[in-house]
Amino acid sequence: APFQPPADLASMPTELRELAARFTEVADANATREMNLGRLIEQRDLLVREIHHRVKNNLQIVTSLLNLQAQRIRNPAARGALFAARERVSALSLLHRHLYLQQDVDAIDFRSFLQELAEQLSAVMEGSGRDRVAIDVQAPTIRLASDQVVPLGLVVTEVVTNAFKHGFADGRGGAIRVVLRILNDQQAELTIANDGYHQPDAELAEEEGGGLGRLLIAGFVQQLDGTMDTSQPGEPYRMTLR
């Protein structure tokens, strides 16, 4: 509450009146500073949201350009590489969209982001993969900072895209499960699993031009200061990130 001088101030000694006047000046100055600070914070949030909006639009343009270029290329390996780059850029665009739409400019609802990311990855799969393979997302409602969401979102993009391309490439149906569990205040666990075919590492590395996806995932895990475990080749695929 703002400082209120005593009602009988006029009858008080001069020293008390001067002291009350000083308190009033300080209180008014603090109130003005708080109001100005509030305006600056509001302006900063608006500016950051506008930046996220523009970045999202620019990334969508890049996604469209990559898609157009990929459609003009006949070499399957080169085309696949461009499509993979497109999905990585699309995941970043989706992140900036969530940062723009939500009130908090520094964090997003990770559950909502995961669900929309899974739908986005399923929608762009070529052929009938999206009709044969379901993506199930299980996650609590939790807000994560953008510097955590970026590597997590890109890990999900790499693993889910790889599952569509390799785990269900023979026409079989199945499901991909993305599960986030909160272990404690400092640690969470992200599990991505599917019941498709898990190719041996050597075969996968050859098809992916040296395993770029695995290198990216390893970098993202390191960025998160986490550890990763995967299932054995030939078993249903499961990747656990803590």
Side-chain angles (χ1 to χ4, degrees), residues 58-207:
N58 290 337
L59 290 174
Q60 286 180 337
I61 293 174
V62 174
T63 300
S64 298
L65 292 174
L66 289 170
N67 191 53
L68 288 172
Q69 186 65 43
Q71 292 175 357
R72 297 172 63 89
I73 294 178
R74 295 183 179 180
N75 182 283
R79 185 176 181 178
L82 284 176
F83 278 136
R86 177 196 65 184
E87 296 317 308
R88 293 160 187 151
V89 175
S90 294
L92 293 175
S93 176
L94 179 62
L95 167 64
H96 284 282
R97 176 178 174 271
H98 276 257
L99 288 170
Y100 168 71
L101 292 176
Q102 299 182 25
Q103 295 297 322
D104 189 344
V105 297
D106 298 317
I108 67 171
D109 177 355
F110 191 59
R111 177 182 180 180
S112 175
F113 171 76
L114 269 184
Q115 289 175 331
E116 189 167 351
L117 178 61
E119 294 171 2
Q120 177 176 287
L121 292 172
S122 177
V124 299
M125 288 298 106
E126 292 183 295
S128 59
R130 58 178 172 266
D131 300 321
R132 293 182 286 103
V133 182
I135 303 183
D136 179 31
V137 175
Q138 301 176 25
T141 300
I142 180 175
R143 300 192 69 80
L144 293 179
S146 58
D147 59 351
Q148 295 175 304
V149 176
V150 168
L152 283 171
L154 290 174
V155 166
V156 173
T157 299
E158 294 296 327
V159 176
V160 171
T161 301
N162 184 72
F164 269 111
K165 289 195 301 181
H166 301 290
F168 303 96
D170 57 356
R172 73 178 70 183
I176 301 172
R177 290 169 296 281
V178 182
V179 181
L180 178 71
R181 294 195 308 131
I182 306 302
L183 303 180
N184 51 56
D185 293 340
Q186 301 294 327
Q187 192 175 33
E189 178 183 86
L190 176 67
T191 300
I192 307 175
N194 69 75
D195 48 14
Y197 173 63
H198 182 189
Q199 293 176 286
D201 285 347
E203 181 180 351
L204 195 58
E206 181 180 351
E207 292 192 10

Side-chain angles (χ1 to χ4, degrees), residues 221-232:
V221 172
Q222 184 177 11
Q223 183 178 344
L224 290 164
D225 194 23
T227 59
M228 181 180 67
D229 298 317
T230 58
S231 55
Q232 295 298 316

